[in-house]
Amino acid sequence: MEIEKESLSPTLGRYLEKGRQHAGLSLRRLATASGVPLRTIRRILNDEVESPAAEDLQQLARVLELDESDVFGYIGVTPPKGLPDVAPYLRAKHKLKGESLNKAAEEIQSIINKYDNMSPE
């Protein structure tokens, strides 16, 4: 969701609250959709959390269709550009660890290498 520059709120809580209202979600529905506990959402929206968890902010931004860069900008964090390598992605998305993580990352990397060398059709 795009919020016009002049209507940007001066705090993260106000910005997310505007996004919540624009999305038409109750606090409970936002909690359910995002997986962020209701109490945590209330505290973030009331600007009672000095350093909210990155995962919570990502989930709230996703559900509210807000730009993650804007959300993280309110807490002074610039998210990295681009996508993560295979292993960190598999660890974060699929909770893989140890040998299963290594094996999956190797298999996927070999597929990527195979197709990176092919000419586009």
Side-chain angles (χ1 to χ4, degrees):
M1 174 184 74
E2 297 259 343
I3 298 177
E4 293 179 28
K5 294 265 189 230
E6 66 239 20
S7 68
L8 285 179
S9 301
T11 68
L12 173 63
R14 289 182 188 155
Y15 180 69
L16 292 173
E17 176 60 18
K18 281 188 178 188
R20 183 187 72 80
Q21 289 175 3
H22 186 267
L25 293 175
S26 69
L27 290 174
R28 290 191 193 285
R29 288 188 63 202
L30 178 57
T32 300
S34 67
V36 178
L38 179 61
R39 182 169 188 261
T40 300
I41 292 174
R42 280 193 178 120
R43 292 188 67 229
I44 292 171
L45 295 182
N46 290 325
D47 294 310
E48 296 172 0
V49 181
E50 191 170 315
S51 298
E55 186 174 314
D56 290 345
L57 293 182
Q58 286 176 316
Q59 290 299 94
L60 292 171
R62 180 187 56 80
V63 170
L64 297 175
E65 297 179 0
L66 298 171
D67 186 296
E68 283 184 29
S69 296
D70 291 342
V71 172
F72 281 102
Y74 278 96
I75 62 168
V77 174
T78 304
K81 303 280 188 236
L83 299 172
D85 286 333
V86 174
Y89 173 79
L90 293 172
R91 186 179 311 110
K93 175 73 176 172
H94 300 288
K95 310 293 189 240
L96 293 178
K97 296 177 184 172
E99 187 57 34
S100 60
L101 173 63
N102 293 338
K103 180 76 172 155
E106 286 174 13
E107 292 288 327
I108 292 171
Q109 192 60 56
S110 93
I111 293 167
I112 291 169
N113 293 343
K114 176 181 175 182
Y115 289 100
D116 271 353
N117 297 327
M118 295 182 74
S119 60
E121 294 178 14

